[in-house]
Coordinates of all heavy atoms in Angstrom, one line a residue:
Q1 N 67.5 104.2 103.9 CA 66.8 102.9 104.3 C 65.4 103.3 104.7 O 65.2 103.9 105.8 CB 67.6 102.3 105.4 CG 69.0 101.9 105.0 CD 69.8 101.4 106.2 OE1 70.2 102.2 107.1 NE2 69.9 100.1 106.3
H2 N 64.4 103.0 103.9 CA 63.0 103.4 104.2 C 62.4 102.6 105.4 O 61.6 103.1 106.1 CB 62.2 103.2 102.9 CG 62.5 104.1 101.8 ND1 62.1 105.4 101.8 CD2 63.3 104.0 100.7 CE1 62.6 106.0 100.7 NE2 63.3 105.2 100.0
D3 N 62.8 101.3 105.5 CA 62.1 100.5 106.5 C 62.9 100.4 107.8 O 62.5 99.7 108.8 CB 61.9 99.1 106.0 CG 61.0 99.1 104.7 OD1 60.1 99.9 104.7 OD2 61.3 98.3 103.8
A4 N 64.1 101.1 107.9 CA 64.9 101.0 109.1 C 64.4 102.0 110.2 O 63.6 102.9 109.9 CB 66.4 101.3 108.8
P5 N 64.9 101.9 111.4 CA 64.6 102.9 112.5 C 65.0 104.3 112.1 O 66.0 104.4 111.4 CB 65.3 102.3 113.7 CG 65.5 100.9 113.5 CD 65.7 100.8 112.0
L6 N 64.3 105.3 112.6 CA 64.6 106.7 112.3 C 66.1 107.1 112.6 O 66.6 106.8 113.7 CB 63.7 107.6 113.1 CG 64.0 109.1 113.1 CD1 63.8 109.6 111.7 CD2 63.1 109.8 114.1
Q7 N 66.7 107.8 111.6 CA 68.0 108.4 111.8 C 68.0 109.7 111.0 O 67.7 109.7 109.8 CB 69.1 107.6 111.3 CG 69.5 106.4 112.2 CD 70.7 105.7 111.7 OE1 70.7 105.3 110.5 NE2 71.7 105.5 112.5
L8 N 68.2 110.9 111.7 CA 68.3 112.2 111.0 C 69.4 113.0 111.7 O 69.3 113.2 112.9 CB 66.9 112.9 111.2 CG 66.8 114.3 110.4 CD1 65.3 114.6 110.3 CD2 67.4 115.4 111.2
R9 N 70.4 113.3 110.9 CA 71.5 114.1 111.5 C 71.2 115.6 111.2 O 70.9 116.0 110.1 CB 72.8 113.7 110.9 CG 74.0 114.5 111.4 CD 75.3 113.9 110.9 NE 75.4 113.9 109.5 CZ 76.2 113.1 108.8 NH1 77.0 112.3 109.4 NH2 76.1 113.1 107.5
V10 N 71.3 116.4 112.3 CA 71.1 117.8 112.2 C 72.3 118.5 111.5 O 73.4 118.4 112.0 CB 70.9 118.4 113.6 CG1 70.6 119.9 113.4 CG2 69.7 117.7 114.3
S11 N 72.0 119.1 110.3 CA 73.1 119.7 109.5 C 73.1 121.2 109.6 O 74.1 121.8 109.4 CB 72.9 119.3 108.0 OG 73.0 117.9 107.8
T12 N 71.9 121.8 109.9 CA 71.9 123.2 110.1 C 70.7 123.6 111.1 O 69.9 122.8 111.3 CB 71.7 124.0 108.7 OG1 71.8 125.4 108.9 CG2 70.4 123.6 108.1
L13 N 70.8 124.8 111.6 CA 69.8 125.2 112.6 C 69.1 126.5 112.1 O 69.8 127.4 111.5 CB 70.4 125.5 113.9 CG 71.0 124.3 114.7 CD1 71.7 124.7 115.9 CD2 69.8 123.3 115.1
D14 N 67.9 126.7 112.4 CA 67.1 127.9 112.2 C 66.6 128.3 113.6 O 66.6 127.5 114.5 CB 66.0 127.8 111.2 CG 65.6 129.1 110.6 OD1 66.1 130.2 111.1 OD2 64.8 129.1 109.7
H15 N 66.1 129.5 113.7 CA 65.6 129.9 115.0 C 64.4 130.8 114.8 O 64.4 131.7 113.9 CB 66.7 130.7 115.8 CG 66.2 131.0 117.2 ND1 65.6 132.2 117.5 CD2 66.3 130.3 118.4 CE1 65.3 132.2 118.8 NE2 65.7 131.1 119.4
S16 N 63.4 130.6 115.6 CA 62.2 131.5 115.6 C 61.9 132.0 117.1 O 62.1 131.2 118.0 CB 61.0 130.7 115.1 OG 59.8 131.4 115.4
E17 N 61.6 133.2 117.2 CA 61.4 133.8 118.6 C 60.1 133.2 119.2 O 59.9 133.3 120.4 CB 61.3 135.3 118.5 CG 60.3 135.9 117.6 CD 60.3 137.4 117.5 OE1 61.1 137.9 116.7 OE2 59.6 138.0 118.2
Y18 N 59.3 132.6 118.3 CA 58.0 132.0 118.8 C 58.1 130.6 119.2 O 57.6 130.1 120.2 CB 56.9 132.2 117.8 CG 56.7 133.6 117.3 CD1 57.1 134.1 116.1 CD2 56.1 134.6 118.2 CE1 56.9 135.4 115.7 CE2 55.9 135.9 117.8 CZ 56.3 136.3 116.6 OH 56.2 137.6 116.2
I19 N 58.8 129.8 118.4 CA 58.9 128.3 118.6 C 60.3 127.8 118.9 O 60.5 126.6 119.1 CB 58.4 127.6 117.3 CG1 59.1 128.0 116.1 CG2 56.9 127.8 117.2 CD1 58.6 127.3 114.8
G20 N 61.3 128.7 119.0 CA 62.6 128.3 119.4 C 63.5 127.8 118.3 O 63.3 128.1 117.1
R21 N 64.3 126.8 118.7 CA 65.3 126.3 117.7 C 64.7 125.3 116.8 O 63.8 124.5 117.2 CB 66.4 125.6 118.5 CG 67.7 125.4 117.7 CD 68.8 124.8 118.6 NE 69.3 125.8 119.5 CZ 70.4 125.6 120.3 NH1 71.1 124.5 120.1 NH2 70.8 126.5 121.1
I22 N 65.0 125.4 115.5 CA 64.5 124.5 114.5 C 65.7 123.7 113.9 O 66.6 124.3 113.4 CB 63.8 125.3 113.4 CG1 62.7 126.1 114.0 CG2 63.2 124.4 112.3 CD1 62.1 127.2 113.0
A23 N 65.6 122.4 113.9 CA 66.7 121.5 113.4 C 66.3 121.1 112.0 O 65.2 120.7 111.7 CB 66.8 120.2 114.3
I24 N 67.3 121.2 111.1 CA 67.2 120.9 109.7 C 68.2 119.9 109.3 O 69.4 120.0 109.6 CB 67.3 122.2 108.8 CG1 66.3 123.2 109.2 CG2 67.2 121.8 107.3 CD1 66.5 124.6 108.5
G25 N 67.7 118.8 108.6 CA 68.7 117.8 108.1 C 67.9 116.8 107.2 O 66.7 116.9 106.9
R26 N 68.7 115.9 106.6 CA 68.1 114.9 105.7 C 67.9 113.6 106.5 O 68.7 113.2 107.3 CB 69.1 114.6 104.5 CG 68.4 113.7 103.5 CD 69.4 113.4 102.4 NE 70.4 112.5 102.7 CZ 71.3 112.0 101.9 NH1 71.2 112.3 100.6 NH2 72.2 111.2 102.3
I27 N 66.7 113.0 106.3 CA 66.4 111.8 107.0 C 67.2 110.6 106.3 O 66.9 110.4 105.1 CB 64.9 111.5 106.9 CG1 64.1 112.7 107.6 CG2 64.6 110.2 107.7 CD1 62.6 112.5 107.5
A28 N 68.0 110.0 107.0 CA 68.8 108.9 106.4 C 68.1 107.5 106.5 O 68.4 106.6 105.7 CB 70.2 108.8 107.1
A29 N 67.2 107.4 107.4 CA 66.5 106.1 107.6 C 65.1 106.4 108.3 O 65.0 107.3 109.1 CB 67.3 105.1 108.4
G30 N 64.1 105.6 107.9 CA 62.9 105.6 108.6 C 62.0 106.8 108.3 O 62.2 107.5 107.2
T31 N 61.1 107.1 109.2 CA 60.2 108.3 109.0 C 60.1 109.1 110.3 O 60.4 108.5 111.4 CB 58.8 107.8 108.6 OG1 58.3 107.0 109.7 CG2 58.7 107.1 107.3
I32 N 59.7 110.3 110.2 CA 59.5 111.1 111.4 C 58.2 111.8 111.3 O 57.8 112.2 110.3 CB 60.7 112.2 111.6 CG1 60.5 112.9 112.9 CG2 60.7 113.2 110.4 CD1 61.8 113.7 113.3
S33 N 57.4 111.8 112.5 CA 56.1 112.2 112.5 C 55.8 113.3 113.5 O 56.6 113.4 114.5 CB 55.1 111.1 112.7 OG 55.3 110.0 111.8
T34 N 54.8 114.1 113.3 CA 54.4 115.1 114.3 C 54.0 114.4 115.6 O 53.3 113.4 115.6 CB 53.3 116.0 113.8 OG1 53.7 116.6 112.6 CG2 52.8 117.0 114.8
N35 N 54.4 114.9 116.7 CA 54.1 114.4 118.1 C 54.8 113.1 118.4 O 54.5 112.4 119.4 CB 52.6 114.2 118.3 CG 51.9 115.6 118.3 OD1 52.4 116.5 118.9 ND2 50.7 115.6 117.8
E36 N 55.8 112.7 117.6 CA 56.5 111.4 117.8 C 57.5 111.6 118.9 O 58.2 112.7 119.0 CB 57.2 111.0 116.5 CG 58.0 109.7 116.7 CD 58.7 109.3 115.4 OE1 58.4 109.9 114.4 OE2 59.4 108.3 115.4
E37 N 57.6 110.6 119.8 CA 58.7 110.7 120.8 C 60.0 110.1 120.3 O 59.9 109.0 119.7 CB 58.3 109.9 122.1 CG 59.1 110.2 123.3 CD 58.6 109.6 124.6 OE1 57.4 109.1 124.5 OE2 59.3 109.6 125.6

């Protein structure tokens, strides 16, 4: 759903010693942006 509110389920995790935990998944609805709350 492109116009619906954001939904992203975390399916796998990566980790970096510099930036910590990285969440990976497919966006099911909406969009996600840098610096978004």
Side-chain angles (χ1 to χ4, degrees):
Q1 299 172 286
H2 293 278
D3 300 325
L6 169 65
Q7 284 183 310
L8 185 159
R9 181 173 55 200
V10 180
S11 298
T12 187
L13 293 173
D14 200 357
H15 186 271
S16 166
E17 57 185 85
Y18 303 108
I19 55 179
R21 198 177 290 191
I22 303 168
I24 299 171
R26 187 181 72 171
I27 304 174
T31 60
I32 187 168
S33 305
T34 300
N35 293 324
E36 180 180 354
E37 193 172 351

